[in-house]
Amino acid sequence: QVQLVESGGGSVQAGGSLRLSCAASGYTYKNYVMAWFRQPPGKEREGVAAIRDDGQTSYADSVKDRFTIDKDNAKNTLYLQMNSLKPEDSSMYVCALLIGEWYGPLSLSTNAYDYWGRGTQVTVSS
């Protein structure tokens, strides 16, 4: 059974940094894409960043040059390094897993992903 457990959220001031983690377990697939999504209160879930098994990455325009997605295969853990945080980055951050081969630009659409974590809250104050 696939499980995704996020951690690392918290409260920071604008301009600060946080590093989110997503511990994955219950699968041994060779081909996959993992991603971070966020969902502010009252708004739709939006894709933030994605990374494929071979290390290819994709970012939403709103976080490019501020956020970095990476993974540690040995630890089965996905990360999101968030720098220069803004109040509009405040949200519940959720990690997701897509099983299988993916060609072309990585998807940041919720419809593409098979498994989801419960999320970790990030609050950025001005």
Side-chain angles (χ1 to χ4, degrees):
Q1 181 178 356
V2 175
Q3 285 194 320
L4 303 173
V5 181
E6 302 91 338
S7 62
S11 297
V12 295
Q13 290 191 327
S17 298
L18 281 175
R19 184 172 174 84
L20 306 183
S21 300
C22 173
S25 62
Y27 74 99
T28 56
Y29 303 101
K30 177 182 177 182
N31 302 117
Y32 61 87
V33 178
M34 294 193 76
W36 287 98
F37 287 77
R38 64 187 182 188
Q39 186 165 16
K43 295 186 178 181
E44 292 188 355
R45 187 169 289 184
E46 62 176 1
V48 175
I51 186 167
R52 199 168 64 182
D53 50 80
D54 64 355
Q56 179 183 339
T57 59
S58 178
Y59 295 90
D61 289 341
S62 59
V63 305
K64 276 181 183 176
D65 301 323
R66 298 189 299 123
F67 291 10
T68 302
I69 188 171
D70 64 8
K71 58 186 176 69
D72 185 329
N73 293 330
K75 295 182 178 179
N76 281 344
T77 301
L78 177 73
Y79 301 100
L80 185 68
Q81 178 67 42
M82 305 186 296
N83 298 328
S84 302
L85 282 162
K86 305 175 182 179
E88 53 263 42
D89 293 319
S90 297
S91 188
M92 178 70 73
Y93 283 74
V94 182
C95 72
L97 171 66
L98 179 164
I99 300 297
E101 295 185 9
W102 187 272
Y103 302 99
L106 301 184
S107 175
L108 290 177
S109 170
T110 57
N111 293 335
Y113 290 82
D114 304 302
Y115 299 96
W116 297 84
R118 291 179 177 270
T120 184
Q121 181 68 39
V122 171
T123 303
V124 184
S125 58
S126 56

